[in-house]
Amino acid sequence: MEQIVVMAAGAIMNVLLAWVLFIGVSAYQGQVVIDKGAVVGDTAVGQPAEKAGIQKGDVIVEISQGDTHETINSWTDVSSFLLYNQGEVTLTIERDGNRMQVALTPYQDKETGGYLLGVTQGAGSYEVKDISFLEAVKYGTLEMFDGMTTIFESLGKLLQGIGLNNLSGPVGIYKATAEITQQGWISTIAFTALLSVNVGIFNLLPIPILDGGRILILVLETITRRKFSEKTQTAIMMVGLFMLIGLMVFATWNDLVRLFM
């Protein structure tokens, strides 16, 4: 057990650092934005939403594609769904107390790589709330857990082969970092917190050569009551190394495709 704790210490420190940074950002701002729903603001002329008949004030309550359905509580839910489910989607919208469904095909923004409906957020989509320091601890913690949940959901989709073209490597991270730093130091700290959570969770994945892989080997040795030979451990680590190299090459290729095509 002590060995497992030692191996996981780096990842745990990454998560703790992110937690402190998230709380610090919330405390410094003294405000939080609370999602109230996906309320449509203006619709761009000639874009998918306008063509589908969506109007200002409509509320998107559900989005689906085939057998995949998701209840919508915020615009983040919409963006996430569109990122992993490309092509035509069906929106369930609420207008004047009535619900209706519209089908449309979002377009891809070449600059961000995201998929858009062609609308702006309506004023009723969020509420800005003043908070105390104690509340900053609460909301900073919630922000961290939201980030962790998103990471796990993304990993789950990637294992299903969904969203592989959205995977980013060093080039994508560099580009995102350059854009974030131009928005000010608060945005930079928040982005650093999110990266720290990502690194911590990734390091705990059961992939040989990562800490998570070493923990898995230790657990297997404990269960089988047999210690793997040095040759076996080296072979396992080499497999993990090639997996990581392959993943890095694939992610970098995705970055280059988005950058130059």
Side-chain angles (χ1 to χ4, degrees):
M1 185 62 185
E2 290 182 3
Q3 286 180 285
I4 293 177
V5 172
V6 170
M7 291 178 182
I12 292 172
M13 289 305 298
N14 278 120
V15 174
L16 287 176
L17 172 62
W19 184 49
V20 171
L21 292 178
F22 277 126
I23 291 173
V25 169
S26 295
Y28 177 81
Q29 292 178 322
Q31 294 179 326
V32 292
V33 177
I34 301 174
D35 290 319
K36 307 292 284 186
V39 182
V40 176
D42 295 322
T43 57
V45 177
Q47 296 300 340
E50 194 260 349
K51 289 180 179 179
I54 293 176
Q55 301 176 9
K56 183 175 183 178
D58 288 347
V59 182
I60 302 174
V61 295
E62 188 179 278
I63 187 169
S64 62
Q65 184 182 75
D67 295 329
T68 305
H69 300 261
E70 183 170 333
T71 300
I72 300 301
N73 298 306
S74 68
W75 278 107
T76 302
D77 294 338
V78 176
S79 300
S80 178
F81 188 93
L82 297 181
L83 187 63
Y84 291 105
N85 301 274
Q86 293 146 27
E88 185 178 88
V89 297
T90 299
L91 304 180
T92 300
I93 61 173
E94 193 170 274
R95 179 187 300 166
D96 299 326
N98 299 312
R99 291 194 175 190
M100 63 188 75
Q101 291 187 326
V102 295
L104 53 78
T105 302
Y107 69 94
Q108 186 175 30
D109 183 75
K110 294 182 178 179
E111 201 169 306
T112 64
Y115 288 82
L116 308 176
L117 302 175
V119 301
T120 61
Q121 292 188 31
S125 297
Y126 57 88
E127 173 190 351
V128 179
K129 176 184 176 183
D130 294 329
I131 58 172
S132 64
F133 178 76
L134 287 178
E135 288 177 313
V137 175
K138 170 189 170 183
Y139 285 106
T141 303
L142 290 174
E143 186 75 19
M144 185 188 72
F145 279 115
D146 282 344
M148 294 175 70
T149 300
T150 301
I151 294 168
F152 284 122
E153 289 177 349
S154 299
L155 286 172
K157 287 182 171 65
L158 289 174
L159 290 175
Q160 298 173 51
I162 301 172
L164 289 173
N165 60 321
N166 297 318
L167 196 63
S168 285
V171 177
I173 293 174
Y174 173 80
K175 185 172 181 292
T177 302
E179 293 172 354
I180 292 293
T181 52
Q182 293 178 2
Q183 298 176 19
W185 65 275
I186 285 293
S187 295
T188 303
I189 291 176
F191 185 65
T192 301
L194 191 58
L195 280 180
S196 187
V197 171
N198 272 271
V199 170
I201 292 177
F202 184 78
N203 202 30
L204 285 179
L205 293 178
I207 299 175
I209 213 172
L210 297 179
D211 287 337
R214 294 168 60 200
I215 291 172
L216 178 61
I217 290 174
L218 185 60
V219 170
L220 291 175
E221 287 179 340
T222 302
I223 293 174
T224 60
R225 297 183 179 180
R226 289 182 56 190
K227 187 170 179 62
F228 294 163
S229 66
E230 289 293 330
K231 185 177 180 180
T232 301
Q233 290 194 42
T234 300
I236 293 173
M237 293 300 174
M238 289 302 295
V239 170
L241 178 61
F242 285 122
M243 286 174 62
L244 285 181
I245 291 175
L247 183 64
M248 192 65 69
V249 170
F250 179 75
T252 302
W253 172 255
N254 276 348
D255 289 337
L256 294 176
V257 168
R258 282 192 290 266
L259 196 60
F260 296 108
M261 295 182 66

